[in-house]
Amino acid sequence: MKRHGRRLRCLAILLAVGALVAACSNSSDPNTAAPASSAGGGAVPGVTNAEIRFSVLGTRTNNPLGTCLLDCFSQGIKAYFDYRNSEGGVHGRKLVVARELDDALGQNQQKAIEIVSAKDTFATFSAPQLASGWQNFADAGIPLYGWDIHPAQMIGRKSIFGNAAPPCLDCMDRTFTYVAELAGTKRIAALGYGVSDNSKQCVTQITDTIERYGAATDQEIVYKNDTLAFGLSNGVGPEVAAMKRADAQLVITCLDLNGMKTLAQELERQGMGDVPMYHLNTYNQKFVEEAGALFEGDYVSVGFRPFEADPADTAMATFKKWIGKVGGRPDEMAMYGWINADLAYQGILKAGPAFTQASVIDATNHLTDYTADGLTVPVDWSRQHGQRSKADPVTNGYKLDCRALVRVRGGKFEIVGGTKDKPFVCWPPKDTTWSEPKPTSFG
């Protein structure tokens, strides 16, 4: 989410000057040295004797969510690079963000082609709203580390790595049932946008899960609507009135932050302010604080170890220290940038000093228990590029189905379900019968 546009480099001039300096000088400046060579003798794009240079591509301008995307995402990457560079970098080289591009929502492919054509960065980090250019990176064999909300662009492409494995949009998600249980509710409403396939699939996932476990929990879907207009420009009055008539006791939605705020305001207006909501996209302390008491008592899903958990033997304390050093604050997108940056570092480290783009992709795909030092649910990148499905959630899925949950109390988040030292709630994916989750930590 955080990123600003930067200078472009002319690769031909760099190569020519670098080669001349390397050939004619006995004491060349390492910052102007020729690009490093692979084991086979070829130049590695974006790699010099002193640096490994990366691009960051994402959405800032025209962001329909109105939240910090590119800038915050990039801030997490920079914080991680500063941390590793303070220890000497990797293989004697510093990690550098050399190129930052705003895709202005609709120019992701155009900017991707620009990066691919320049051949002056080693890999790309990407946090777009629309990932139309990710295929270009895959076709060029360039490692890409991205925001995992784009499963269609990730599945089957072994050079594209997310902050998590590609999500399964039709698999059962037992957190829906579990949150209803935590809230002491039985009658559930599900809402989503009609213009987004992901949002519509999400609503189906909610209803399928509640119905799947209804016999064991006595829960039911009493209202469903997956046709809402994005932005809720016409309000959501009729939908809230329908939920009120149906006596909905919990609202689970597949909406963005602003949509959730509009919905919460309408619930309050119609006397349903005490009906809790389960948010899939509102883990944003600043946004919640600014909303006052609007989200009080609501539940929020978190895709990594929550900031409210004990750091324990994980990288959380390190993240908080270094994000502060770059002037940032703990933020969901900053954490995703940090996780992506760590995965890039670990792949380069594992590939060895004579690394190439291809060898780093291969090395990363041999990481079978990746947790970003305890921050995420373990990913097996040797098999989790594949597609999970409701019919087979195991083959390409997680070893454990986990999620962290928080609730809003006094404008702050507090961990629920799990504990401060074990904040994830987990189920075995092979056993799909209803059961209480197990609090878990991956430190």
Side-chain angles (χ1 to χ4, degrees):
M1 318 215 60
K2 286 185 174 180
R3 289 292 118 168
H4 320 89
R6 303 245 173 170
R7 65 214 181 265
L8 304 180
R9 292 178 174 81
C10 176
L11 182 58
I13 292 176
L14 280 175
L15 289 173
V17 172
L20 181 61
V21 171
C24 301
S25 173
N26 292 324
S27 58
S28 60
D29 183 343
N31 290 308
T32 58
S37 296
S38 67
V44 181
V47 180
T48 72
N49 291 333
E51 296 179 340
I52 307 171
R53 299 166 180 165
F54 296 82
S55 298
V56 182
L57 171 62
T59 306
R60 179 189 304 118
T61 309
N62 302 320
N63 170 21
L65 301 184
T67 56
C68 179
L69 291 181
L70 176 57
D71 290 336
C72 289
F73 179 69
S74 180
Q75 197 169 53
I77 297 164
K78 287 181 175 179
Y80 185 85
F81 281 4
D82 286 353
Y83 157 54
R84 286 302 183 185
N85 289 339
S86 74
E87 299 181 331
V90 58
H91 301 315
R93 298 179 175 91
K94 289 186 176 181
L95 302 160
V96 177
V97 172
R99 181 190 285 261
E100 303 173 341
L101 295 90
D102 173 14
D103 67 15
L105 186 63
Q107 300 176 21
N108 189 260
Q109 185 172 42
Q110 175 183 330
K111 298 298 183 180
I113 292 171
E114 182 179 320
I115 293 170
V116 171
S117 299
K119 297 181 181 179
D120 60 359
T121 53
F122 178 76
T124 296
F125 299 100
S126 189
Q129 280 291 323
L130 303 172
S132 56
W134 282 16
Q135 178 66 52
N136 295 84
F137 292 105
D139 291 343
I142 296 173
L144 184 137
Y145 309 90
W147 189 17
D148 79 324
I149 66 167
H150 305 289
Q153 284 72 35
M154 296 174 65
I155 292 169
R157 298 188 173 109
K158 293 193 173 184
S159 61
I160 297 180
F161 306 91
N163 53 277
C168 174
L169 299 180
D170 71 347
C171 295
M172 298 297 102
D173 184 340
R174 281 171 275 194
T175 63
F176 300 137
T177 299
Y178 186 54
V179 166
E181 181 182 277
L182 290 174
T185 58
K186 302 292 186 181
R187 301 174 64 78
I188 298 151
L191 299 177
Y193 292 125
V195 297
S196 165
D197 287 340
N198 281 4
S199 185
K200 290 176 76 71
Q201 286 179 295
C202 173
V203 171
T204 299
Q205 185 182 37
I206 295 167
T207 57
D208 285 355
T209 301
I210 296 298
E211 290 170 357
R212 168 71 174 78
Y213 299 113
T217 64
D218 199 28
Q219 297 170 4
E220 62 178 322
I221 296 292
V222 297
Y223 180 80
K224 169 186 173 180
N225 191 325
D226 62 358
T227 64
L228 298 178
F230 182 77
L232 304 179
S233 55
N234 297 320
V236 71
E239 291 78 12
V240 170
M243 289 189 289
K244 187 174 184 178
R245 288 192 299 271
D247 190 26
Q249 300 169 332
L250 172 71
V251 182
I252 307 178
T253 81
C254 307
L255 309 179
D256 62 295
L257 275 70
N258 291 326
M260 293 300 289
K261 185 175 182 179
T262 299
L263 175 58
Q265 290 169 331
E266 185 62 28
L267 287 167
E268 184 75 26
R269 191 185 72 81
Q270 294 198 31
M272 295 182 69
D274 59 342
V275 173
M277 298 191 294
Y278 178 23
H279 305 237
L280 305 185
N281 299 297
T282 313
Y283 189 54
N284 185 307
Q285 185 63 68
K286 183 173 183 290
F287 183 80
V288 169
E289 286 176 355
E290 291 175 349
L294 200 57
F295 300 126
E296 186 71 11
D298 285 0
Y299 297 82
V300 180
S301 173
V302 187
F304 49 86
R305 189 180 186 89
F307 302 128
E308 295 73 27
D310 291 337
D313 52 345
T314 74
M316 183 60 75
T318 305
F319 167 80
K320 289 182 177 180
K321 172 184 175 181
W322 287 92
I323 199 68
K325 282 179 174 287
V326 298
R329 58 183 290 175
D331 172 271
E332 184 176 32
M333 289 307 301
M335 176 58 81
Y336 292 156
W338 177 280
I339 293 169
N340 280 168
D342 179 71
L343 187 56
Y345 169 87
Q346 299 297 342
I348 293 170
L349 184 66
K350 187 175 179 66
F355 63 92
T356 64
Q357 289 169 320
S359 71
V360 168
I361 291 168
D362 181 67
T364 308
N365 283 318
H366 280 81
L367 298 175
T368 59
D369 194 36
Y370 176 76
T371 68
D373 197 8
L375 297 177
T376 68
V377 179
V379 179
D380 181 351
W381 283 113
S382 71
R383 60 182 178 80
Q384 285 192 257
H385 290 284
Q387 186 169 15
R388 289 184 292 156
S389 69
K390 187 192 306 185
D392 181 10
V394 176
T395 301
N396 297 310
Y398 287 94
K399 295 176 182 177
L400 288 172
D401 287 336
C402 302
R403 179 68 61 170
L405 298 168
V406 295
R407 180 172 51 191
V408 179
R409 284 292 186 221
K412 303 291 185 181
F413 295 119
E414 64 176 18
I415 294 169
V416 293
T419 62
K420 280 183 169 289
D421 60 332
K422 295 181 178 180
F424 293 95
V425 291
C426 300
W427 292 266
K430 292 182 180 180
D431 181 1
T432 59
T433 59
W434 175 248
S435 63
E436 294 298 313
K438 180 180 179 181
T440 305
S441 176
F442 300 106

